[in-house]
Structures are given as C-alpha cells and as structure tokens.
Amino acid sequence: MEAVFDRSGRGSPAIVDLTGAAGIGKSRLVGEFCRRAGQRGATVLRGRATEYEQHLPFQPFADAFADADDRDPSAASELLAVLSPAPRGLTIGPSPATDPPTVDRFALHRSTARLLAQLGTTGLVVALDDMHWADPASLELLDHLVRHPVPGPVVLLVSRRDRQTPPALTVALTRGLDTGSVIRIALPPLPERECVEGLAPDLPRVRAAQLYAASEGNPLYFLSLLHAHREGAAPGHGASSTATGDGCDGLPAGLGPLLLNELTPLTPSQRRTLEVVAVLGDHATPSVTGATARRTDAELDGDLDALARRDLVRAGPGGRLMLRHPVLRTLVYESTASWRRIDIHRTAAVELARTGAPAVARAPHIERSVTTWDTEAVAVLRQAADETASTAPTSCAHWLAAVLRLLPDTAEHAAERRRLMLRRARALGVAGGLRESRELLHQVISTSGPDEAGVRVSAVVLCALVERHLGRYPEAIALLRRELTREAGPSPADRVSIGLELGSSAPHNTPYPQVREEMSRTLSAARDLEDVPGEAGALALAAFGEAYEGGTATAAGLAGQAAELMDGLPDGDLTPLCEPLARLGWAEAFLGRFTDAERHADRGLEIARRSGQVYLLPLLLLCKAHVRIQTCRLPSARQLADEAEDIARGTGSSELLSFALANKAQVLVVASAPGDPEALSAAEEAVSGMGPSDNWRASMAWCMLGYAALTGGDPHRARDALLRAGGEDLHGLQPSMRPLFLELLVTAALLTGDAGSASAWAERAHKEADRLGLPLQRASALRSAAQLALHGGDPVTAATLLSEAVEECARSGAVFWEARSLLLAAPVLAAAGYAARGEAMRERGHRLATTGGAHLLAGLAAATTAGAPAAPEGSGIPQRLMSLTAREREVAALVAEGLTNQAIADRLYLSPRTVETHLSRVYRKTDIASRAALAALMARR
C-alpha cells in the first residue's frame, strides 16, 4: 500500500481494493496506512458505509469529505455541496417538468473527480471502509472513479468483505484490475505467532494455541475468545467457520454469542443506551442519543463512561458515538427486541426533525417505525424521494416503495397508488431498473380507470420508452398503436404525445416510411390544436427520419421549419421535447449543418440535465461528438464519448450502451494511431452488446468494427463486418452515410485483391452520392473512384478525383475528411507530376490533422512527407523501407506497380493470404495505411 502511495500520479494503479473476512483486520490496516500517509504530508479523508443506512446517498463519501475542512475548507465545502441531496424531481420520458434546475448524478461524478484532483495536488488518500454496505449512489460514483482514475497523487482505498460485496462493485473493481487502475490486496488469516505474541503474550502456549485454532487466525474472533477466557466464560468449540458454516452476517458461527456475552454485565440503562447508539448509527451524537434514550445529561454520561471502559462504545469522527466494531453494532441491533427497536427509531425520527435534519436522514427511522398510514410520516418519505431523485434515483425508488407499502389498498386510494407507481417507475428507469419499471407500468396501464386517461397515457408513453431501451421495439410500437385505437380513444393532446413517441421508434427497428403517415397525422393534429411545441417535435422527428433515409431535400425543409419553431420556444416548452430536439441535431449533422447541429445539441444537453432526463444525455452527447469528429476536434469528441458511455452504463440499456461504444470506437479510430487496440476493443464490445439485432444501432456498431479492423490492418475482418452491417444488397447501411461505408468496403476489397467488388461498390457509391447531393458523401465517392484509378495505374485521374474530394470537403466544413483527402492526394499529385501542389496539400493536411488531434492521419501525413530522413548513402532505399525484409520490399514494389494481391501471389508463387500477411507487416513497419501511400513511398526509392 505504501508502494502504491509512492507511485501515485505516475501512471501506476492508484486504487487499492482491500478484501478480507469480517474481523480480519482491514480497518486496522486502513487506519495504520492513513496515519503513515498523514505523516508524509498527504491529506487523508476517511469514510465508511454502514449496514442500516444503505439508502442514504453517497454516505461513505460525505463521511470522508466532512473531515476535509482542516486542510482545504473551500474544497471541502464544495464537495459537500455537490454531494448534498438536491430537493428536485427527476423525470424520464416526455412529461412536462416545472421543477427548478437539478444536477444529474453523472455530472456530480465528474464534479467530484475534479474536486478530488484539486484537493490532491500535494497528495491525497481517500479511504472508504466497509464498502460492501455502500449505497447504490456511492457504488455508481466509485465505478466512475475506477474507470476514470483521478489524475495526480491521489490514492483511493476501498475496504470490503468480498463475500458480501454487491455484484456491481465486484464488477467495477475487477474491470479496474483488468485495465491496471486497481491493485487488489486480500488479507489472509493472521499467522499464529503474530496473533499470539501480539494479542496474548502472557497466555500459556497450549491455551493460546487452542484459542488460535478455534479462531482460525481471525483477530476479532481471537480477541473475543481471549476475553471469554479471561472472564471465565466457556468459549465453546463450535467456532470454526469452515467446519460449522457461517453465522450472522458471514461471521464465524461462534463469534456472535461471544460478543453478546460481553453485554451480560451491563445494567438495563447501559444496555438501552448501547441499543440506542446501535440504532442511531451515524446520527448517534451525544445530544440525539440522550434525547432518544430519554436520559438526562448526567445519566447519559454515566452510561457512556461505563460502556467506554468496557470498550463497547468509542468516540468517532465529528463527536459521534460508535460501537467498537461494525460486527458488534450488527449483533446489538439484531438482538434488540423488535418493539424496542421500533420505539428507538420513532423517537429518533422525532428528535432529528426537531434538530432540523433533512428528510433523507429521517426517512430510514420512519421506514422502520411506521407500520400504518400516517400522513406526516408519509410526507417525510415523499420529501426524501424528492431530495434523492436527481442524484440517487435508486434511493428515490426505495422511499416511494415505502410509501406504497403504507398506502391502504382500498378503492379510495387506488388512483393515488397508480400515480405513485408511475413516479416510482420513472425513478427505476433512470436508475437502470428498466425491467422492474416496465412491470410497474404494465400494472398502471392495466388497472387505470376511464377517468384516469392522463395517468394511463403517461404510463403508455413511458412504457414504450422503456421498451425501446430494452430493445423491444415491436412491443413499444404495438403498445402505442393499441392506445391510439382504443374505443374511447385518446384526447387530441394525448394523440400528439403518443404520435411523437411512435415517431421516436424510427429508424431503430422500424423503417421511417412505416411511420411517415402517422407522423403526418401527428403534425396535423398539433397544428389543429395550435400546439406549437407539438408541431416542432413532429417536424424534428420527421426531419430525422427523412435525413436518415437519404431524403435530403425533404429533410432539409423539415429541419429548417423545426429549427425555426424550436429556436423561438422557451426552455420550459422544450422540456418535454428534448428527444425531438436531439433528433433535430442528428438530422442537421447528417445534412452537414454542423453549426446548427452542435447548437441544438448544446441546448438539449442543458435542458435534459436541468429536467433530469438522463436517458437522453448519451444521444445528445454523441450528436455533439459526431459533429466534432467531422470538424476535427477530436480531444473534446473523446471526452464527450466517454461521458456518453458512463451515462449509458448507468441506464441499464445494453442497446444504448452499444450505440455509445460504437460512436466511441469511431472517435478512438480517428484520434488514435492506426491499429490502436482500444478502438477495436470498444467496437467489439458494442457488437457483443447488440446481440442478433439488425437495427440502426446494430448496423452502426458493425460498421465501426469494420472501420477499426481496417485501420488495424485486417481488411478481411473489416469486409466481413461491413457486409454484416449492410446485409443483403447493403440496404442495412445507413442511406445518408452509405457512400462513406462503401468507401471502406472499396478499400478492404482492394487490400484483399478483390478488384471486381471494389469497382462495383465504387460505382454504387457514386450513384448514392449523386442521389444524396451532400458534399461530404460526394467526396467519399470521389475517394473511392480515386482508389480504383490508382489500382489501375492512372495517377493523373486519381489526382484529379482527390483534388475534387478536397474541394467538396472544404465546402462542407468537414475538416477531418478534408485533411484525409489532402493527405491522400499529396503523394498522388507528386506521382502525377505536380510535386509543388502535392507538397502544399501535404502541409495543409498535416496542419489540420495535428491541430485537430487526428492521430490516425499522422501516419498518413508521415507517409506523404517529402523530406523523410535519407537512407544510407548509395542504398537508393528510403529510410522507412530499411526495416523491411527482402520479400516484403519485393511485395511492396509489386504493389507500387499496381498489381493486385492475387497477381502478386501468382508472380511470386505464394498464396494470396501470405501476400496479405506480408503487406500488413509492410504497413505496420512503414506506418502507412493505404496502397496509394505505399506506392508514393516506393516511387522515391
């Protein structure tokens, strides 16, 4: 652990996963490490999770940050402000929200990481004890810190019992082990010599050995046996956890009775005070403890003195009282008579209310003490749900479940029950509990009465949204269409809401033409109602559908109308239209209107964060990332893609996560050096998460796998992935981007020696680009044609085509593709006899690529550099060819002559696969990514 501290901030693992059984000495070790780190000048923050407060959000982190005031009061107060409950509501789905601004929990994660970095400029240790009891919000935050380690000399120490750890935490820490950000230390039993000499040096050796054998090296158990021995109690012999199984809370079976035996000498008042401390947990300050135990100050002092002398109660951080060990708290709490526990919880809730504690602090005591409908108690539970909605939706859902348990199951309260179920379903959806959310929504839909049309339609629309995130598009569409055809039928306003959700199903698993008529009816209904927001939403969804399908002229008109209406609406009116606003941004991105797309994505992000529509954030973030890829601002594009991935993981939607990973793979391909394994890994995870789906998002995932494989030097896999994405006749490739994907297929085909397929796909790319009329897609088709011209030995034609591609890209504002076209054109122009023009193109392409962080193009820029270091005098071989073997240079020379892989194989009496292997090695050694660049390099020999 000290070695981790020494190496922190230098790229080594900075997260320690400390595991071991209860009582093995984890907390003791953590305490010693924190003491030493403090002596070395580090800021040390220590917090712990507690067993009976698992729905208090961020409890271990807030506990740790509360101790930061001494070192950096400003940072500490800011951290506590970030982690404090926000009394705001959180919605998922297209329902209006009028609440004040909220902080979404994912923004909170990033803020916390930034503040930790600020606090740790000179060294920071954050030690979190007993994280097997951590609340879900803390687990999400910890998962973020594992996947995005805080930069600088910051060590995060996590202590937990392995067998009681929630799966989410185990997965997060194990992923950190795989990526190298986490180091795991598992504490074994204490050896007999150290145990006996350290804890019982005065005990006869035979008796000490007996106690050690019974304890199996667990120090807590050994100390309890030792206490029993010295008190003259019979410790028993059934203590072995391996022989007799585990007892309470995973403890050795004999430990509980031994610890409880320590309570036997206590007076009734001392026992009651001890029980109050156990029940109160982190709220056990002397004042609250005295009031809850109904003891005077003098009586409480007497009880606490006696308990302290027996080392049952100790002083904790902030003047709180705490039991000697969490195991002891568990045993005392569970052994307290149930009626007594209820009374303590009830009294504690009253006392905390008197002291002004927030509802979220009082809610656990109310939940454990109120068993019948109590208006005041339920109001506190509702308020606790409000306080945790935006930052800890799992806790919000928990408190709403507590309200539902108390609500009488009568006809009088049936409508209220459905409203609460609808609200809880929203919270569960935000928290990632999509299936449980769906189950609740089906109950609401099936039991809603004729006078609850509003609740029913809200449940239907929300359920369709949840079905979409579960990848169940047919079910979502069937549910919406059934609602539209119900006998009573929805109101005109509800019909608009249903129509907007129905339009949102395309082009995922439903081609837009199948809902085009419904979108037209929705637009007409909104106009008849003079519902401007509804009209804007319908126009935006229609623009997206048409743009995706390649109906660029129609899409451009619809997008212009939608933008004009949305730009004139206040944010409050756009809150229920956040998804159509996101779709408008994507439509504009497909049409090459990059400035408008980013503007609308930014506005959508602001509204979605404020209204708590977390599920929309990835769609908006990825739209903005897509724009920044095209305009070659890649460092920020990667940050946006990372954030989208974080949020998608938190939603529980595997399809949304796959879409985020596919877009992240695209960023990584262009922002990394050719062949970087991270891009391929992201694309592979995206494809794996989509399963057998064949919708838009699945197609995108397979296309990005092909893109990553191609830049990684595996054209066969690239071709297979792209054909899997396109399906029969390649109709599965996104129509508005099909020329770009066909360009990848042309490249892969030429690299594998399939000139026939390359020619057919290049011709199709030309036709598709002409139909679309988009400069970026025309440029792609031109690059495909240029590849064929080069393959046929016609550099003059190739130079002309690539020069036209450069002009088209410059006209579109797609800086990345302009840089790529420039760098592809440079050596071809030189080969065609236009050396000066080629050098000018190379310089401009290199400048655009390096300014934008496009490391993929850096290799291409290097390959086109005219002033490469010279080879040894007289060799006639450029320096970058010197590393090639004779056979590899021979293959490269034949490529420069324009021969296909098959022709090279025939001439050299090799198999085509062997030629491909040689060629892949040539690309890797020379840092070249295309046959054209290789030909240019060979021409300088």
XYZ file of all heavy atoms in Angstrom, residues 905-936:
253
model
N 0.619 -12.798 -55.814
C 0.733 -14.199 -55.389
C 1.122 -15.099 -56.561
O 1.978 -15.989 -56.433
C -0.586 -14.656 -54.773
N 0.503 -14.858 -57.733
C 0.822 -15.677 -58.907
C 2.267 -15.472 -59.340
O 2.974 -16.426 -59.695
C -0.123 -15.315 -60.061
C -1.559 -15.719 -59.767
O -1.766 -16.574 -58.870
O -2.474 -15.172 -60.416
N 2.726 -14.223 -59.315
C 4.085 -13.944 -59.783
C 5.130 -14.523 -58.839
O 6.171 -15.012 -59.290
C 4.299 -12.436 -59.929
C 5.694 -12.092 -60.438
C 5.870 -10.615 -60.711
N 4.994 -10.131 -61.773
C 5.094 -8.903 -62.303
N 6.039 -8.070 -61.877
N 4.267 -8.525 -63.254
N 4.864 -14.456 -57.506
C 5.866 -14.908 -56.533
C 5.630 -16.340 -56.063
O 6.342 -16.819 -55.173
C 5.866 -13.960 -55.321
C 6.196 -12.486 -55.606
C 6.141 -11.678 -54.315
C 7.584 -12.357 -56.240
N 4.631 -17.016 -56.642
C 4.302 -18.395 -56.249
C 3.990 -18.487 -54.753
O 4.463 -19.378 -54.047
C 5.444 -19.362 -56.632
C 5.754 -19.344 -58.099
C 6.856 -18.626 -58.574
C 4.938 -20.023 -59.012
C 7.132 -18.594 -59.937
C 5.218 -19.988 -60.378
C 6.315 -19.280 -60.827
O 6.594 -19.234 -62.173
N 3.161 -17.527 -54.306
C 2.716 -17.508 -52.918
C 1.196 -17.620 -52.891
O 0.520 -17.419 -53.904
C 3.135 -16.194 -52.234
C 4.631 -15.876 -52.169
C 4.831 -14.457 -51.630
C 5.355 -16.888 -51.288
N 0.658 -17.914 -51.696
C -0.796 -17.869 -51.561
C -1.226 -16.413 -51.350
O -0.453 -15.594 -50.820
C -1.246 -18.704 -50.354
O -0.869 -18.066 -49.146
N -2.452 -16.035 -51.752
C -2.928 -14.660 -51.518
C -2.884 -14.274 -50.040
O -2.590 -13.128 -49.697
C -4.362 -14.687 -52.049
C -4.362 -15.780 -53.075
C -3.417 -16.819 -52.535
N -3.158 -15.254 -49.178
C -3.145 -14.954 -47.752
C -1.741 -14.574 -47.285
O -1.574 -13.673 -46.451
C -3.643 -16.171 -46.960
C -3.921 -15.891 -45.502
C -5.171 -15.056 -45.358
N -5.472 -14.750 -43.969
C -6.530 -14.075 -43.578
N -7.400 -13.613 -44.460
N -6.753 -13.818 -42.304
N -0.721 -15.268 -47.820
C 0.665 -14.942 -47.455
C 1.020 -13.535 -47.927
O 1.694 -12.780 -47.220
C 1.629 -15.972 -48.056
O 1.283 -17.272 -47.578
C 3.064 -15.654 -47.686
N 0.557 -13.184 -49.117
C 0.798 -11.829 -49.620
C 0.167 -10.797 -48.688
O 0.771 -9.766 -48.366
C 0.256 -11.670 -51.055
C 0.355 -10.210 -51.518
C 1.006 -12.585 -52.019
N -1.056 -11.063 -48.245
C -1.744 -10.141 -47.334
C -0.972 -9.990 -46.022
O -0.871 -8.893 -45.459
C -3.159 -10.637 -47.057
C -4.079 -10.532 -48.279
C -5.281 -11.445 -48.157
O -5.582 -11.868 -47.029
O -5.915 -11.737 -49.196
N -0.418 -11.104 -45.558
C 0.368 -11.045 -44.325
C 1.596 -10.168 -44.514
O 1.914 -9.315 -43.675
C 0.783 -12.458 -43.890
O -0.382 -13.235 -43.672
C 1.617 -12.405 -42.612
N 2.312 -10.380 -45.627
C 3.479 -9.544 -45.912
C 3.077 -8.069 -46.006
O 3.766 -7.188 -45.480
C 4.153 -9.980 -47.224
C 4.950 -11.242 -47.107
N 5.914 -11.430 -46.128
C 4.937 -12.389 -47.851
C 6.457 -12.625 -46.277
N 5.879 -13.234 -47.308
N 1.966 -7.810 -46.660
C 1.526 -6.432 -46.861
C 1.133 -5.773 -45.535
O 1.429 -4.597 -45.298
C 0.353 -6.407 -47.837
C -0.006 -5.049 -48.455
C 1.202 -4.383 -49.083
C -1.121 -5.225 -49.480
N 0.498 -6.520 -44.654
C 0.154 -5.979 -43.336
C 1.407 -5.582 -42.570
O 1.449 -4.539 -41.902
C -0.657 -7.009 -42.529
O -1.896 -7.251 -43.135
N 2.444 -6.418 -42.677
C 3.712 -6.094 -41.993
C 4.360 -4.852 -42.616
O 4.950 -4.031 -41.905
C 4.661 -7.287 -42.076
C 4.215 -8.472 -41.234
C 5.094 -9.680 -41.492
N 4.670 -10.827 -40.705
C 5.016 -12.083 -40.967
N 5.812 -12.345 -41.983
N 4.590 -13.067 -40.204
N 4.256 -4.716 -43.911
C 4.803 -3.536 -44.581
C 4.115 -2.284 -44.067
O 4.761 -1.279 -43.741
C 4.636 -3.664 -46.112
C 4.956 -2.324 -46.796
C 5.526 -4.768 -46.663
N 2.779 -2.330 -43.985
C 2.031 -1.162 -43.491
C 2.464 -0.808 -42.072
O 2.633 0.361 -41.723
C 0.532 -1.456 -43.509
C -0.087 -1.481 -44.886
C -1.203 -2.272 -45.155
C 0.437 -0.718 -45.918
C -1.797 -2.296 -46.407
C -0.142 -0.736 -47.186
C -1.249 -1.531 -47.430
O -1.817 -1.552 -48.673
N 2.596 -1.842 -41.244
C 2.942 -1.586 -39.837
C 4.345 -1.001 -39.717
O 4.571 -0.030 -38.984
C 2.839 -2.881 -39.033
C 3.048 -2.663 -37.531
C 2.820 -3.935 -36.736
N 3.795 -4.974 -37.030
C 3.532 -6.073 -37.746
N 2.328 -6.266 -38.235
N 4.470 -6.969 -37.977
N 5.305 -1.567 -40.436
C 6.698 -1.108 -40.315
C 6.907 0.281 -40.898
O 7.749 1.047 -40.418
C 7.637 -2.102 -40.995
C 7.741 -3.447 -40.277
C 8.696 -4.381 -41.027
C 8.824 -5.736 -40.323
N 9.759 -6.643 -41.039
N 6.171 0.610 -41.961
C 6.352 1.907 -42.609
C 5.358 2.943 -42.116
O 5.422 4.099 -42.550
C 6.200 1.760 -44.132
O 4.891 1.242 -44.427
C 7.268 0.845 -44.691
N 4.441 2.530 -41.213
C 3.425 3.452 -40.676
C 2.587 4.031 -41.814
O 2.323 5.236 -41.879
C 4.085 4.575 -39.878
C 3.082 5.261 -38.940
O 2.018 4.658 -38.684
O 3.361 6.384 -38.502
N 2.164 3.157 -42.710
C 1.380 3.554 -43.876
C 0.056 2.812 -43.825
O -0.017 1.660 -43.384
C 2.164 3.220 -45.178
C 3.230 4.296 -45.405
C 1.236 3.123 -46.377
C 4.127 4.012 -46.582
N -1.015 3.482 -44.295
C -2.340 2.883 -44.162
C -3.019 2.594 -45.493
O -4.167 2.173 -45.501
C -3.232 3.798 -43.311
N -2.379 2.832 -46.633
C -3.053 2.593 -47.920
C -2.040 2.206 -48.997
O -0.842 2.504 -48.902
C -3.817 3.841 -48.368
O -2.904 4.854 -48.776
N -2.562 1.579 -50.051
C -1.716 1.195 -51.187
C -1.176 2.436 -51.899
O -0.047 2.445 -52.392
C -2.516 0.325 -52.161
C -2.936 -1.010 -51.594
C -3.830 -1.745 -52.586
N -3.110 -2.621 -53.492
C -2.877 -3.915 -53.275
N -3.272 -4.467 -52.153
N -2.246 -4.644 -54.173
N -2.001 3.508 -51.927
C -1.566 4.730 -52.608
C -0.344 5.323 -51.926
O 0.637 5.724 -52.579
C -2.702 5.749 -52.634
N -0.383 5.388 -50.581
C 0.754 5.951 -49.851
C 1.989 5.082 -50.014
O 3.121 5.578 -50.111
C 0.391 6.105 -48.378
N 1.774 3.752 -50.053
C 2.905 2.851 -50.236
C 3.521 3.040 -51.631
O 4.750 3.061 -51.792
C 2.458 1.399 -50.046
C 3.547 0.338 -50.224
C 4.695 0.551 -49.251
C 2.944 -1.068 -50.037
N 2.662 3.220 -52.625
C 3.172 3.440 -53.981
C 4.007 4.716 -54.045
O 5.060 4.763 -54.697
C 2.006 3.511 -54.971
N 3.515 5.761 -53.344
C 4.261 7.022 -53.339
C 5.619 6.855 -52.668
O 6.634 7.402 -53.121
C 3.448 8.096 -52.632
